[in-house]
Amino acid sequence: MSDWDFLHDMHNDGYSPEQIADAAACGYNPWEWEPVQEKELSALHPHEDPELVMIFESLVENARSYYELTGRYLQIWGELGELYAEIKYGIKRHKPHTRGSDGKLGNDFVEIKTISPEKDGGQVQVKRAGNFNKLLVIKINERFEFDGRFIERKQLSKGEGAYARVSWSALPLTKQAPKP
């Protein structure tokens, strides 16, 4: 198998042309990554806080209404992404301004990055110096729908810069959340 045969496999597995082009541009095979094990995942964290869910839904509705009225997005993407991660995946967030990671999931420190509908290219960058084991990328689309994908820190691209870049389309699908 050549280094590029994975692109044909991606096509056969139903990946979009955009995802295939992004993988070709990056030059790596997403199947070489070690995603969070699917068998260890749960659909929804059983300890979600109903009051937090109501606040999250209200914030999303207010952001949507504001956009419909003004044509501008409220710049609350990071907080919405972190709230979604807390509700959907059961991540226990650190106190505000804690350095190194955004929260914990079981024994793992998790860094959360959010891709807003405004971001072209669907990429995030994360500090290599951060104290995290897993990166959770949350994508919010123009209809204010949320999706999340995990990647192990060790699977981030190697480099010498202060930041690692991660492309949404190259991340392995995460259907459910890792159990703490």
Side-chain angles (χ1 to χ4, degrees):
M1 181 174 191
S2 81
D3 289 342
W4 298 100
D5 284 346
F6 71 91
L7 297 174
H8 296 287
D9 293 337
M10 288 178 74
H11 174 75
N12 295 337
D13 288 342
Y15 282 82
S16 72
E18 178 185 296
Q19 291 171 315
I20 295 169
D22 192 44
C26 294
Y28 56 83
N29 179 345
W31 291 294
E32 291 175 355
W33 294 5
E34 296 173 17
V36 175
Q37 295 297 315
E38 295 289 327
K39 65 184 177 191
E40 297 175 2
L41 304 177
S42 62
L44 190 60
H45 196 269
H47 303 293
E48 68 183 34
D49 179 351
E51 188 175 9
L52 189 62
V53 172
M54 285 180 29
I55 291 170
F56 170 74
E57 290 172 350
S58 176
L59 285 171
V60 171
E61 185 54 40
N62 285 322
R64 180 184 296 119
S65 297
Y66 181 82
Y67 178 74
E68 289 170 0
L69 180 66
T70 66
R72 295 178 178 200
Y73 288 111
L74 286 173
Q75 300 303 311
I76 60 170
W77 304 117
E79 191 66 26
L80 286 177
E82 288 183 19
L83 279 170
Y84 177 78
E86 187 172 347
I87 293 165
K88 170 79 176 185
Y89 302 109
I91 293 172
K92 301 293 183 203
R93 292 196 294 163
H94 299 313
K95 293 179 182 176
H97 310 295
T98 300
R99 293 183 174 212
S101 66
D102 293 309
K104 280 188 84 171
L105 185 61
N107 293 327
D108 290 318
F109 288 98
V110 180
E111 179 70 16
I112 303 166
K113 292 294 181 180
T114 304
I115 299 174
S116 74
E118 300 174 295
K119 276 194 178 171
D120 293 332
Q123 288 189 349
V124 295
Q125 63 180 21
V126 60
K127 290 180 184 175
R128 293 182 195 277
N131 179 28
F132 61 95
N133 309 85
K134 292 181 179 6
L135 171 65
L136 172 58
V137 180
I138 304 294
K139 184 173 184 180
I140 308 170
N141 69 20
E142 62 279 348
R143 293 181 305 278
F144 291 87
E145 297 168 336
F146 292 68
D147 193 10
R149 295 183 183 174
F150 282 92
I151 183 172
E152 300 283 339
R153 180 190 182 118
K154 63 185 175 184
Q155 299 303 321
L156 294 175
S157 63
K158 308 299 182 231
E160 295 182 21
Y163 294 93
R165 292 188 191 277
V166 179
S167 175
W168 173 261
S169 61
L171 288 170
L173 295 176
T174 303
K175 295 188 176 155
Q176 300 166 341
K179 289 184 180 176

